[in-house]
Amino acid sequence: MTAVIIRIALRYGAGVLVARGLLGSEDASAFSTDPDVQMALETGLGLAIGGATEAWHYLARRFGWEH
């Protein structure tokens, strides 16, 4: 499910960049369908979400919010 959402986001992002003239249509197509880019984004998002969760838990313990 996450891969589907990532692919959709990449297509919209590539479309915005093409509309602004920063990427050509061939580059945007390669960017939005490249499995290596999708895997890197999924990994990065997973790490960011995990880090945010751990930071929130740390703050909750530090300030006594975890009751």
Side-chain angles (χ1 to χ4, degrees):
M1 184 65 178
T2 304
V4 173
I5 294 170
I6 296 295
R7 271 187 243 128
I8 291 169
L10 283 172
R11 286 185 187 124
Y12 280 116
V16 168
L17 292 175
V18 168
R20 294 185 69 199
L22 298 176
L23 286 179
S25 61
E26 299 85 22
D27 296 330
S29 175
F31 182 73
S32 67
T33 59
D34 187 7
D36 292 332
V37 172
Q38 292 172 3
M39 185 176 60
L41 284 174
E42 288 175 8
T43 303
L45 283 172
L47 289 172
I49 291 169
T53 302
E54 289 298 321
W56 189 262
H57 180 68
Y58 170 77
L59 290 173
R61 288 183 66 108
R62 178 146 168 91
F63 294 114
W65 300 337
E66 69 171 344
H67 295 296

